[in-house]
Amino acid sequence: MRGRLDSQVAIVTGGADGIGRAIAELFAREGAKVCIADVNRELGEEVKAGICDKSGDAIFVETDIAEPASIAQMVEQTVENLGEPSVLVNNAGFIAFTDDPAEATPELWHKIFAVNLEGMWECSRAVLPFMRKAGRGSIVNLGSVHSFQIVTGHFPYAVTKHGVIGLTRSLAVEYGPENIRVNALCPGMVETPTALRGWEELDDPAGVRKWVGDLHPLKRSASCEEMAYPALFLACEESSFMTGQSLVVDGGRSAFYSD
């Protein structure tokens, strides 16, 4: 049976855990050769082994998205081991915020932009020559519901996620004539391992988990797998006339007002 990403070479940044892991594993099941790019070697090797054990084709490359040289090395290893990339999922991200924007340090500002926006651009810039040569390509950038609505106490994270939409739309317009599509996937609350660990440190983990889930009309948060399938749609030919768009997958959270 033909997979939706047969013959494709996909890079998934932040692919060792959470949403990125779910995307990497699904892409492999759909026939893609996958590069898992992440700073976490132990988890990255684990994901790679799991894919290869199921007859998939994957490599892990330890990658610091905040360092252009590290990105360049990762793309080089992808080309050498898997082939020229035709799909890029810019999933790697850094979550940090402060209650008072005036208290955000220059170090915090530069670090979060280095990963969430500059790193996203550097990864895109590194794969674009291959996509342009092939005359096709799909880039999926991970935005957020924070890309559109400001929630107090989430500075400067929300600023970077607004920037993701600008980057997505700019690249889509510039490279659309060359059959390179660029879209954003914007999740709501997702029960990633990081989120679950954070809740476990609170006094009432189950209560907080239910409270967060109840913010959504579906009365629950998403699983990582529920973000992987929309990412697959954006990456494959099923969305071939879709570019410069932001696919919001938030359980209906943004559809209603609450104070």
Side-chain angles (χ1 to χ4, degrees), residues 18-249:
I19 295 172
R21 178 173 187 160
I23 291 172
E25 292 173 342
L26 177 60
F27 280 21
R29 293 198 300 272
E30 289 292 336
K33 300 177 182 179
V34 181
C35 171
I36 302 142
D38 204 293
V39 292
N40 191 319
R41 174 168 290 279
E42 181 179 358
L43 287 180
E45 293 287 1
E46 179 182 295
V47 178
K48 171 198 167 184
I51 290 172
C52 293
D53 286 347
K54 296 176 182 177
S55 301
D57 196 350
I59 62 170
F60 166 73
V61 182
E62 188 171 351
T63 311
D64 183 351
I65 298 301
E67 295 294 336
S70 183
I71 293 169
Q73 181 185 43
M74 177 269 293
V75 173
E76 181 179 347
Q77 290 190 41
T78 299
V79 173
E80 289 178 358
N81 291 279
L82 302 176
E84 297 184 352
S86 52
V87 175
L88 168 66
V89 180
N90 279 313
N91 166 75
F94 175 58
I95 300 175
F97 38 79
T98 178
D99 290 334
D100 183 352
E103 294 180 359
T105 65
E107 291 76 19
L108 172 62
W109 176 271
H110 290 300
K111 181 177 181 180
I112 197 167
F113 268 87
V115 176
N116 292 6
L117 198 54
E118 293 171 19
M120 188 174 287
W121 160 237
E122 290 293 342
C123 286
S124 301
R125 187 161 71 115
V127 303
L128 277 167
F130 302 103
M131 294 181 176
R132 299 181 79 179
K133 183 174 72 171
R136 65 166 185 166
S138 179
I139 297 174
V140 181
N141 296 327
L142 265 289
S144 168
V145 292
H146 290 282
S147 295
F148 307 100
Q149 296 178 322
I150 296 298
V151 179
T152 57
H154 286 77
F155 183 93
Y157 176 76
V159 181
T160 67
K161 290 303 178 179
H162 274 64
V164 168
I165 304 306
L167 177 64
T168 298
R169 297 179 70 184
S170 293
L171 296 182
V173 170
E174 296 290 350
Y175 296 106
E178 298 181 61
N179 197 32
I180 298 169
R181 301 184 300 110
V182 188
N183 292 289
L185 172 61
C186 300
M189 187 62 215
V190 182
E191 292 189 342
T192 63
T194 299
L196 293 173
R197 286 193 296 268
W199 292 338
E200 285 299 323
E201 296 175 359
L202 303 176
D203 292 336
D204 183 12
V208 172
R209 185 177 184 181
K210 182 180 185 304
W211 175 79
V212 172
D214 284 346
L215 293 173
H216 307 79
L218 291 180
K219 297 303 177 185
R220 64 179 179 86
S221 300
S223 69
C224 293
E225 289 71 23
E226 287 175 305
M227 295 301 113
Y229 282 96
L232 172 62
F233 168 71
L234 293 176
C236 77
E237 286 302 304
E238 292 173 9
S239 60
S240 58
F241 198 60
M242 186 173 178
T243 195
Q245 303 304 306
S246 301
L247 182 59
V248 179
V249 186

